[in-house]
Amino acid sequence: MVDFNKKIDRSKNDSRKWAGRKSYFGKENLLPMWVADMDIETPNVVVEALKNKADQKIFGYTMENERYIGSLVNWVEKRHGYKLSGNKIAHSPTVITSLNLLIKTLTNEGDKVMIQSPTYPQFVKQIKNNNRKIVINELVEKEDRYEIDFIDFEEKAKDSVVFILCNPHNPTGRVWEREELSKIAEICVKYGVKIISDEIHSDLILDGKHISIASLGGGVENLVYTCFSTTKTFNLAGIQSSFVVFPVIKEKEEFVEELSLIGVHEPNSFCMDMVISAYNDGEEWLEELLNHLRENIEFAVDYIEKNIPQIRVKKPEATYLLWLDLRKCKLDDEKLKERLVEGGGLALTMGGAFMSHGFARMNIACPRYMLEEGLKRLKKVFG
Ligand SMILES: Cc1ncc(COP(=O)(O)O)c(C=O)c1O
């Protein structure tokens, strides 16, 4: 059994979440529950693989081996029942790198790229960075979850070149169901809209089943560029590794060439051993992690419902992020942030970053003692 509740210390970890408190929030002494990484140690099997790599003591240029891509193919088949073709998969250091390059190569300046709000902030940043136009299909809040307004989606798909799908969805925690994905696929096929499917959170399913939109068939497989990664699942974002699955081999080769033009070639020395060990030997750890996250979510949602009526929260179906609705407080984001930071000593990501004001995102991937402290601070401010 892994002890996910043991005390952790990131004081020498050079972590953005902890070391970045002063620069992002103006204060050192805050409980950081913002950046989407985990205050949880990576599995021992990965630590051992990294130590073994370090023992080689030589870290020159690398060359991609077959086991690297193969570990993703096996993993996705085992976990999600979807068979990928290894020769259509490219390595990319990060999903954000892939988003940037895919937007650049799939669209022209001024083209429309559709996203759904609330949205992961980098979608906006990378579209703007490439001088493309952002089109927003707002998700609709229903009693117990967010849903897609398909009338609006279809209207906006008509002149969009690319749609960026976040599956599962950050920050709302929705796991898109087969019916919803099929409808998206049908509309995108009808209007020839290409889909960048960011599936970085696909291993963190708490309730439901992950379905890759490219697996649906019916023509959509020719339009989808899927991003996968070990880094959210196993808490490895600082080492960097990700994959893009292309519809055709030629496009993969063009992407690899684009990467090389910006000086990115071959995975870093630790990346391949890290990914292979995580995918080949990390499944048992992941199952235990998912139970820990479910328990933390259960605890947090129950605590908020009983103690902080000012806050509305729904259980996410995936991810370790709670999407807190603070609109009852009737304060703007700046004021909300000030109260959280000054009054509670708590660092959360404010809704404005996701294009949804009056919300905050709280990361509960931490030991229970830290979660309890975070909730106490939340109660102190809004209870
Ligand atoms: C939806 C989504 N995509 C991409 C990323 C970042 O991935 P990477 O670190 O590989 O760029 C995140 C990180 O929070 C995310 O939530």
Side-chain angles (χ1 to χ4, degrees):
M1 283 282 283
V2 184
D3 182 5
F4 292 102
N5 290 317
K6 77 177 186 193
K7 193 148 174 44
I8 58 109
D9 177 10
R10 295 185 77 177
S11 59
K12 298 191 182 82
N13 198 229
D14 294 326
S15 115
R16 189 196 307 168
K17 194 195 245 172
W18 289 79
R21 287 171 293 180
K22 178 86 176 143
S23 48
Y24 286 92
F25 292 88
K27 247 180 128 164
E28 207 70 76
N29 191 19
L30 302 173
L31 185 64
M33 302 181 86
W34 59 306
V35 174
D37 70 18
M38 301 194 267
D39 284 322
I40 281 173
E41 289 176 359
T42 201
N44 276 336
V45 287
V46 178
V47 175
E48 283 309 311
L50 293 172
K51 280 184 182 166
N52 287 339
K53 187 71 193 180
D55 282 343
Q56 292 179 3
K57 299 182 183 176
I58 301 177
F59 308 107
Y61 293 112
T62 65
M63 182 158 166
E64 209 175 293
N65 64 43
E66 283 181 14
R67 291 182 305 129
Y68 179 49
I69 299 286
S71 67
L72 172 76
V73 174
N74 291 338
W75 177 261
V76 172
E77 186 169 19
K78 186 167 55 165
R79 297 290 297 182
H80 308 308
Y82 173 35
K83 181 97 181 119
L84 301 171
S85 305
N87 56 5
K88 293 182 186 162
I89 302 173
H91 157 83
S92 168
T94 68
V95 172
I96 296 172
T97 317
S98 308
L99 289 172
N100 181 10
L101 283 192
L102 286 171
I103 292 167
K104 190 169 285 166
T105 50
L106 299 177
T107 63
N108 294 310
E109 281 209 12
D111 279 352
K112 290 183 176 169
V113 179
M114 178 163 54
I115 55 175
Q116 293 174 312
S117 68
T119 177
Y120 171 56
Q122 283 287 345
F123 293 172
V124 175
K125 199 166 175 178
Q126 297 307 327
I127 297 169
K128 281 192 180 159
N129 174 37
N130 280 300
N131 294 322
R132 274 53 167 175
K133 287 201 187 99
I134 298 173
V135 175
I136 295 181
N137 169 236
E138 257 182 67
L139 295 175
V140 184
E141 270 184 272
K142 292 285 167 70
E143 189 49 38
D144 57 348
R145 63 182 198 178
Y146 281 83
E147 292 186 2
I148 298 170
D149 174 350
F150 278 106
I151 295 174
D152 182 71
F153 185 90
E154 176 153 11
E155 206 40 51
K156 289 175 176 161
K158 286 179 185 166
D159 57 358
S160 293
V161 179
V162 162
F163 165 54
I164 307 181
L165 172 68
C166 193
N167 180 26
H169 187 261
N170 172 12
T172 67
R174 268 308 312 277
V175 174
W176 302 115
E177 289 170 3
R178 184 173 294 275
E179 243 185 30
E180 294 170 303
L181 293 169
S182 299
K183 231 163 167 178
I184 292 174
E186 187 191 314
I187 295 169
C188 288
V189 168
K190 186 169 168 190
Y191 298 103
V193 181
K194 291 180 174 154
I195 301 171
I196 300 174
S197 186
D198 182 339
E199 302 189 11
I200 193 169
H201 293 278
S202 57
D203 297 318
L204 297 170
I205 305 287
L206 307 167
D207 182 14
K209 179 176 166 33
H210 176 70
I211 301 169
S212 284
I213 191 160
S215 73
L216 293 179
V220 77
E221 68 278 12
N222 301 319
L223 297 173
V224 181
Y225 304 77
T226 312
C227 303
F228 288 110
S229 175
T230 49
T231 58
K232 290 281 164 232
T233 317
F234 298 99
N235 210 23
L236 303 166
I239 300 182
Q240 301 193 333
S241 164
S242 79
F243 298 101
V244 186
V245 187
F246 288 81
V248 289
I249 296 171
K250 187 166 169 290
E251 284 183 284
K252 169 209 152 167
E253 289 166 353
E254 285 163 5
F255 179 86
V256 172
E257 177 60 18
E258 280 292 328
L259 270 180
S260 83
L261 289 175
I262 54 168
V264 179
H265 40 79
E266 304 296 345
N268 74 56
S269 287
F270 289 92
C271 165
M272 286 188 284
D273 293 80
M274 167 186 101
V275 169
I276 292 166
S277 62
Y279 279 155
N280 289 358
D281 303 314
E283 192 170 22
E284 215 178 292
W285 178 93
L286 175 60
E287 288 300 339
E288 290 191 45
L289 171 79
L290 292 173
N291 282 335
H292 176 71
L293 299 179
R294 286 186 192 103
E295 284 167 13
N296 268 5
I297 285 169
E298 194 76 38
F299 181 82
V301 170
D302 185 61
Y303 183 96
I304 291 168
E305 283 174 355
K306 287 193 176 129
N307 295 285
I308 325 177
Q310 290 271 72
I311 300 180
R312 279 180 57 223
V313 64
K314 300 175 178 86
K315 270 189 213 162
E317 297 161 341
T319 80
Y320 45 71
L321 306 162
L322 283 189
W323 186 234
L324 306 177
D325 180 350
L326 303 167
R327 286 173 299 180
K328 270 195 194 167
C329 305
K330 298 201 172 10
L331 295 170
D332 63 29
D333 274 22
E334 262 319 297
K335 278 268 174 297
L336 284 172
K337 182 175 170 187
E338 193 183 308
R339 286 187 57 183
L340 283 163
V341 169
E342 302 301 331
L346 196 54
L348 305 182
T349 314
M350 303 314 299
F354 305 90
M355 293 185 134
S356 276
H357 296 278
F359 290 81
R361 194 189 70 176
M362 183 178 194
N363 180 343
I364 57 84
C366 58
R368 179 61 66 84
Y369 72 87
M370 211 182 271
L371 176 62
E372 285 177 5
E373 180 58 32
L375 291 168
K376 244 193 263 168
R377 292 179 187 215
L378 207 55
K379 183 180 170 190
K380 186 172 166 225
V381 184
F382 298 115

